[in-house]
Amino acid sequence: MSKQLPFSTVEVKPHKRFSARNLALVIASAGLLATSYNFSHRSWSLGDQKLLASDQSAWNDADNPARVKTFQQCAINNLLETGLPFMKNVAPIAVTDFEERRDRLAQALVAEGADAFVVEPGYTFKYYGNVSQPEWEVWEPEERPFLMVIHPFHDEATGNIKANTTFLCPSFEAERARLLGMPFSEEISIVLWEEHWDPYTTLWQSDVFLPLHRPARLMVDEEMRDFIQRGLGAAGFEIVGLQGQVEEVRQIKTAREVEILRAVNTGTVEAVRQMRKCLYPGLTENEIAAALDDALRAAGLDPFFDIVLFDENASNPHGGTNGSKVLEAETFVLIDVGAHLYGYSSDICRTFFPPFLQKPSKDNVLSPRMSEKLKVWDIVFEAQTRSIDQMRENMTAASVDIAARDVISQAGYGDAFTHRVGHGIGIKGPVLFNPAIHVY
C-alpha cells in the first residue's frame, strides 16, 4: 500500500505578502490543467510509522536529512507499488516507423510541389532521423552545415511515392554521422564537402538533383538557421518555408506516438499523486522537486523540468524564486513538471493542498485566507470544466481559451489571467500554437 509520512504539528502563520491578486495568479498559473484540493485526517498506520520513523523525535525536526531522504524514498516506493500500468503496451519508435514518416513526407512534398525537404539537427530532424541538436553537437549548434535532404521518388515496384534521403556532411564528420545509428534499413547516403569548399554549391553540383533540368525547389524546416537558407539560395536553389501538407506530417500523431504521449503524461501525473501522499510540514520547494524527479526516474521517465511553487511564489508561473519556501498545512502547492519517454514529452500542472491538512468539521469556521483560496480554486476548476467542454471536433483552440477566460473574467479575476490556455506536446515539449488554428 502507498505510504503517508507522519508529521509534526505546525502553527500556520499568515503570509503578509499574500493577497487576492497573488492568490488568483497562483491558481491561474496552474495552466488550467487538472487540479485537485483535498483535506485528510492526520493518520497513518502503526506499521508505516515504524517503517518510516523508528525515532519519532527525529521526525519533529523538519531539517533532518534522514527525514528528507525517507520522504524521497516514500515517493519512489509509492509510484513503483502501482505496478506502473502506464508503461504497459508502450514501445519506442521503430525503424519502420521512421521510414513510414519519411515516405509520408515524400508524398506531401509532391502534393506541395517541392523537390525536397531540408532540415538540420533539431526537433524535426529528431522526428525523421532520430538525432537532436545536442546529439550532433553537445555544446552548441555547429557552424558547419550538416543537413538531411529528403526527396521523393516514384517506386516502380510498388507504384508508390517513397522517400530518398541524403546527408550533406563535412568530410571529416562522415564517420561520426554513420555512428549515430540513424533509423535506416540500409547504409546512409552522404554528400561530402571539404573545409575549403562551399557546402551549398557542393549539394547543387551533386547527383541528388541531377534528373532536374531546373533549380530544385527546397522546402526548409522552420528551425533552419538563416545563414544556411541564404547559402542554399545563393547556390541557386529556390527556397520556400514549411507549409501545407508537409507541416501536417509531423503534426498528426500516429497510434504509436499517441500511446507514448499517453504513457509519459499519465506517468507524470501518477508520480505527482504518489509523491503528494508523502508530504510533511517543513519541506521546501526544492526538496519536493528533487523527490519528484527521483520518482520519475525510478519509473523509467526522464524529467527535464520541474517547477514547485508555494502560495504567492506561484504568481510567477515559471518560477524565479530560490526554492526555499517551506510547506505548511494551508499551503497551496503548484507543481508544473515534464518528463521524456522515447523522445516524447509530458507537461502537466497540478495545484493542491498537502495531505496533512485536517478536514474541518461542520462547526469550524475557515479563515478568510482559506476561504479565499477555495473560492478561487473553484473558479478555476469551473473555467477548466468549461474549456474542456469546448474540446470537440472542428472547434478552435481559441474557443477553448475563451471559455475559460470568460469564467475567470466574470468572477472578477480577469486581470490575473496572465496567459492563454494550453500548448502542444510531442517531441518538442511545450510547443506554443496559434489560438486561431484547430486543436489536433
Side-chain angles (χ1 to χ4, degrees):
M1 63 183 293
S2 61
K3 310 297 190 298
Q4 285 185 257
L5 288 181
F7 55 88
S8 56
T9 303
V10 295
E11 179 184 359
V12 179
K13 299 179 180 179
H15 294 278
K16 295 181 180 179
R17 294 175 52 206
F18 206 92
S19 65
R21 174 176 172 77
N22 278 344
L23 176 61
L25 287 168
V26 169
I27 311 302
S29 297
L32 294 174
L33 299 172
T35 55
S36 64
Y37 68 83
N38 184 21
F39 295 103
S40 67
H41 294 289
R42 302 194 308 175
S43 62
W44 62 91
S45 69
L46 181 61
D48 287 349
Q49 183 182 5
K50 289 181 178 179
L51 173 66
L52 298 174
S54 58
D55 181 3
Q56 184 61 45
S57 63
W59 292 97
N60 294 327
D61 179 7
D63 296 325
N64 188 300
R67 193 180 192 196
V68 174
K69 184 175 181 179
T70 306
F71 158 65
Q72 294 171 335
Q73 192 60 49
C74 174
I76 292 171
N77 291 346
N78 280 355
L79 184 57
L80 294 179
E81 286 171 5
T82 68
L84 310 181
F86 50 86
M87 296 294 282
K88 302 293 192 298
N89 303 318
V90 62
I93 303 298
V95 172
T96 54
D97 296 314
F98 283 102
E99 292 174 336
E100 189 270 338
R101 290 175 179 180
R102 293 190 293 266
D103 287 343
R104 284 193 290 121
L105 173 61
Q107 294 155 19
L109 287 168
V110 171
E112 294 296 330
D115 297 307
F117 182 69
V118 183
V119 58
E120 61 174 321
Y123 293 107
T124 304
F125 198 119
K126 184 77 174 177
Y127 181 79
Y128 291 112
N130 203 31
V131 175
S132 66
Q133 187 276 315
E135 288 168 332
W136 176 245
E137 291 292 355
V138 68
W139 50 89
E140 63 183 8
E142 172 63 75
E143 76 272 17
R144 300 176 181 89
F146 172 55
L147 306 178
M148 178 163 56
V149 183
I150 302 173
H151 46 104
F153 75 99
H154 185 264
D155 184 357
E156 295 182 357
T158 63
N160 298 326
I161 300 297
K162 306 283 285 184
N164 197 339
T165 304
T166 304
F167 294 89
L168 178 67
C169 182
S171 180
F172 75 94
E173 297 277 36
E175 183 62 20
R176 189 162 70 89
R178 293 187 179 97
L179 291 173
L180 289 171
M182 288 184 284
F184 290 84
S185 299
E186 302 175 353
E187 185 176 354
I188 62 174
S189 174
I190 301 179
V191 172
L192 302 175
W193 62 276
E194 301 292 346
E195 286 284 272
H196 55 293
W197 295 358
D198 180 338
Y200 314 107
T201 300
T202 301
L203 180 63
W204 172 269
Q205 295 174 346
S206 72
D207 60 1
V208 174
F209 301 106
L210 197 60
L212 296 178
H213 301 288
R214 55 172 173 77
R217 189 169 190 255
L218 306 183
M219 186 172 290
V220 297
D221 183 59
E222 59 188 351
E223 296 172 345
M224 178 75 75
R225 288 174 291 175
D226 179 67
F227 79 89
I228 295 178
Q229 296 186 47
R230 288 187 286 108
L232 291 167
F237 293 105
E238 179 188 353
I239 307 302
V240 297
L242 181 65
Q243 58 189 278
Q245 294 184 39
V246 174
E247 187 174 17
E248 291 176 2
V249 173
R250 182 178 154 194
Q251 290 175 337
I252 300 173
K253 303 295 186 284
T254 64
R256 180 167 296 195
E257 288 181 284
V258 171
E259 286 303 316
I260 296 174
L261 286 168
R262 180 180 291 113
V264 67
N265 280 276
T266 302
T268 306
V269 170
E270 192 63 33
V272 173
R273 287 174 176 165
Q274 298 303 326
M275 180 277 299
R276 178 183 176 274
K277 298 174 183 178
C278 304
L279 294 176
Y280 65 84
L283 284 167
T284 67
E285 296 157 317
N286 285 339
E287 288 167 343
I288 293 175
L292 180 56
D293 283 350
D294 287 344
L296 289 165
R297 292 188 187 99
L301 308 180
D302 180 22
F304 72 100
F305 81 93
D306 192 348
I307 304 171
V308 178
L309 301 167
F310 296 165
D311 284 338
E312 67 272 11
N313 282 357
S315 62
N316 292 317
H318 291 161
T321 50
N322 62 14
S324 63
K325 194 170 180 60
V326 172
L327 183 66
E328 299 175 349
E330 294 187 0
T331 299
F332 245 146
V333 180
L334 182 145
I335 295 180
D336 189 358
V337 59
H340 292 308
L341 176 65
Y342 301 142
Y344 286 78
S345 304
S346 65
D347 188 349
I348 66 101
C349 196
R350 293 294 184 272
T351 304
F352 53 77
F353 284 117
F356 52 82
L357 176 62
Q358 294 187 76
K359 184 175 182 179
S361 67
K362 294 181 180 180
D363 297 329
N364 290 138
V365 177
L366 293 175
S367 68
R369 182 165 172 262
M370 277 295 292
S371 296
E372 183 73 6
K373 284 185 176 185
L374 294 176
K375 171 188 172 184
V376 175
W377 192 98
D378 286 334
I379 291 169
V380 175
F381 184 79
E382 176 63 20
Q384 176 200 14
T385 303
R386 297 280 186 89
S387 65
I388 289 174
D389 288 343
Q390 295 298 311
M391 295 182 187
R392 302 188 301 274
E393 187 175 359
N394 294 323
M395 299 299 290
T396 64
S399 69
V400 177
D401 181 271
I402 291 169
R405 197 168 297 275
D406 285 348
V407 172
I408 290 176
S409 296
Q410 290 168 10
Y413 292 97
D415 64 335
F417 198 165
T418 57
H419 56 80
R420 51 91 182 98
V421 175
H423 52 67
I425 53 174
I427 290 177
K428 188 175 182 179
V431 182
L432 307 185
F433 55 70
N434 185 332
I437 66 175
H438 287 95
V439 177
Y440 43 76

